Amino acid sequence: MKKLLILSTIPVPYRTEVFLGLAKHYRADIFFERSYDQNRNDKYFVTDEGFTMLNSDEGRKRYQSCLRRLREYDLVLAYDYTSKKGMQLMLRCIRQGVPYCLNCDGAFINPHPVKDWIKRFFIRRARACFCSGDSAREYFLHYGARQENLYLHDFTSLTEKDIFPNTANREEKKKLREKNGLEDTVLVLTIGQFIYRKGFDILLEAWRQVRGNCRLLMVGGGEKQQEYEAFIAKYGMDNVTLVGYLDKSKIFEYYRASDLFVLPTREDVWGLVVNEAMACGIPVISSDMCIAGRELIKEGINGYVVPSEDVDRLAEALQKLVNQPALREEMGRNNIRDIQGKTLQNIVESHIKVIDSL
């Protein structure tokens, strides 16, 4: 049985599920650099599965012990390799002749002389590069990876049970709306941290142009909440509701209760909420600065991709779907069809296939 050393940054569910799957197949020492992220709700993280955190004295001691025995490992997964600890680990691997693999969930290529040199140094020496799709593949190739060392998988946060077999009918939506105190109208949902990068200020500007019996649900909470509340009050936007952090089960009730999903982000190297909305059978509007939007949305088939920061184009897409229930239903069915098989279990299986072949 192969022995793996795995290092990642924070224990988010879509990471921990993959690592736990690998741990069933290999002997694996799994480390996370820290147990939290200041921009995410603490309830989001997985901290009860016995992972080792490097932001504790005990965790650092155990990690150093593993580093001293690095040659005992058949393979190192430097999963979030751009961190300082990730680069230090890769340097040790290079010096000691231990093969390492990298992962990219999605990326934008932003030229920078020093960072580009560092990326090329590590990427060219990787034994394998796991790619979430075309953007990740192009990213690795840009920085010198060999084509034969690239392995694609469908990046996701979904399990098989998360993917619904059908779109929600009128009765299901009504029950979920009553359960969660939601208005029985056309519901437009967005989910994410209330931070500048997510572009919710752009969405609020666009929403001012949308007409009809509809409501915008903004779920997530965060540092920009007071700013959004002030904007809503200034323009008398009584058809907008701000909601704080919700756990996964409640989030999926909101997806199923809603009629469409929108992600106006200024930059998301993937955007797992797109996968989730698709799995719940609702159309998706995304900005073109969301990799999931670029790779999963087919224009006019299961949603729309609009230019980031373009308030008018976003408003136009929103108005079109608010006005056309038949189109929303068709797009929702297409999303359920297209998301089939894109699960965490398939990521695990694709990783095992690659690792066994190395």
Side-chain angles (χ1 to χ4, degrees):
M1 180 182 291
K2 287 188 176 181
K3 187 176 182 181
L4 309 182
L5 175 64
I6 302 174
L7 176 66
S8 188
T9 50
I10 48 178
V12 289
Y14 55 86
R15 285 279 187 267
T16 58
E17 286 294 320
V18 172
F19 297 164
L20 288 171
L22 294 178
K24 293 177 181 178
H25 200 79
Y26 307 105
R27 290 182 295 158
D29 290 316
I30 303 169
F31 295 89
F32 289 96
E33 294 186 21
R34 59 187 186 278
S35 56
Y36 65 92
D37 181 273
Q38 63 182 4
N39 289 321
R40 291 183 185 266
N41 190 287
D42 290 344
K43 296 178 182 178
Y44 181 65
F45 302 107
V46 180
T47 57
D48 57 354
E49 292 289 350
F51 302 119
T52 303
M53 307 296 169
L54 300 188
N55 58 339
S56 70
D57 290 339
E58 182 180 348
R60 285 190 290 271
K61 288 178 182 177
R62 183 165 182 263
Y63 183 61
Q64 288 301 320
S65 175
C66 291
L67 291 182
R68 287 193 291 270
R69 297 178 284 106
L70 190 61
R71 287 194 178 94
E72 295 179 7
Y73 293 94
D74 297 286
L75 190 68
V76 167
L77 271 63
Y79 220 76
D80 297 290
Y81 66 94
T82 56
S83 71
K84 182 179 179 180
K85 285 184 171 62
M87 289 186 280
Q88 290 171 340
L89 176 58
M90 289 185 292
L91 280 174
R92 281 179 175 267
C93 289
I94 293 168
R95 290 168 182 163
Q96 299 187 36
V98 178
Y100 64 88
C101 298
L102 308 180
N103 172 75
C104 179
D105 297 332
F108 297 96
I109 298 172
N110 299 310
H112 185 284
V114 176
K115 291 181 180 179
D116 287 356
W117 185 91
I118 295 171
K119 290 176 182 177
R120 289 190 179 95
F121 178 85
F122 289 118
I123 290 172
R124 287 173 176 173
R125 290 164 173 80
R127 181 63 185 83
C129 298
F130 294 114
C131 312
S132 65
D134 291 337
S135 69
R137 181 186 62 192
E138 292 168 6
Y139 177 86
F140 278 133
L141 287 173
H142 178 81
Y143 290 110
R146 296 196 298 272
Q147 181 70 51
E148 60 269 25
N149 287 347
L150 302 182
Y151 301 92
L152 270 67
H153 63 265
D154 292 313
F155 183 48
T156 187
S157 58
L158 302 169
T159 63
E160 289 182 3
K161 66 180 181 180
D162 292 328
I163 301 176
F164 285 82
N166 301 295
T167 58
N169 58 31
R170 181 79 184 94
E171 182 180 354
E172 181 184 349
K173 284 186 184 293
K174 187 175 181 180
K175 287 181 178 179
L176 286 171
R177 291 172 181 185
E178 289 175 353
K179 178 182 177 181
N180 291 285
L182 301 175
E183 188 176 346
D184 193 19
T185 183
V186 178
L187 296 183
V188 178
L189 177 66
T190 191
I191 299 173
Q193 306 152 272
F194 290 180
I195 56 176
Y196 175 79
R197 179 172 60 83
K198 291 295 183 178
F200 293 140
D201 55 318
I202 303 167
L203 175 57
L204 286 171
E205 285 283 4
W207 192 249
R208 292 179 60 206
Q209 301 181 31
V210 178
R211 300 292 179 262
N213 187 19
C214 53
R215 175 165 294 277
L216 174 63
L217 300 174
M218 298 175 58
V219 177
E223 64 187 41
K224 292 286 186 178
Q225 176 141 347
Q226 289 186 342
E227 179 182 316
Y228 299 158
E229 289 172 342
F231 185 94
I232 292 166
K234 177 180 179 181
Y235 292 102
M237 301 170 70
D238 58 3
N239 63 346
V240 180
T241 300
L242 303 185
V243 182
Y245 173 82
L246 299 175
D247 64 23
K248 181 177 177 179
S249 62
K250 186 61 68 173
I251 283 285
F252 272 66
E253 289 184 1
Y254 270 65
Y255 281 123
R256 292 289 282 180
S258 298
D259 295 290
L260 64 116
F261 183 81
V262 57
L263 183 63
T265 182
R266 289 184 168 91
E267 181 176 287
D268 259 290
V269 295
W270 185 258
L272 288 165
V273 287
V274 173
N275 300 63
E276 294 170 357
M278 291 175 66
C280 291
I282 56 177
V284 177
I285 300 171
S286 168
S287 81
D288 60 357
M289 291 302 290
C290 169
I291 298 298
R294 291 184 182 185
E295 301 207 4
L296 297 179
I297 297 176
K298 303 178 183 70
E299 189 72 11
I301 305 299
N302 61 343
Y304 298 106
V305 177
V306 300
S308 176
E309 307 274 2
D310 194 326
V311 171
D312 293 337
R313 288 282 295 278
L314 178 56
E316 180 184 345
L318 286 165
Q319 190 70 72
K320 187 170 186 178
L321 286 178
V322 164
N323 290 346
Q324 300 188 53
L327 179 60
R328 296 197 304 266
E329 174 66 21
E330 179 185 356
M331 286 183 168
R333 290 195 303 268
N334 291 340
N335 270 330
I336 286 179
R337 177 200 66 202
D338 291 347
I339 205 68
Q340 295 298 319
K342 293 178 170 63
T343 64
L344 288 165
Q345 182 57 36
N346 280 345
I347 296 179
V348 174
E349 291 172 359
S350 67
H351 278 38
I352 289 173
K353 183 178 179 180
V354 173
I355 292 170
D356 285 350
S357 72
L358 296 180

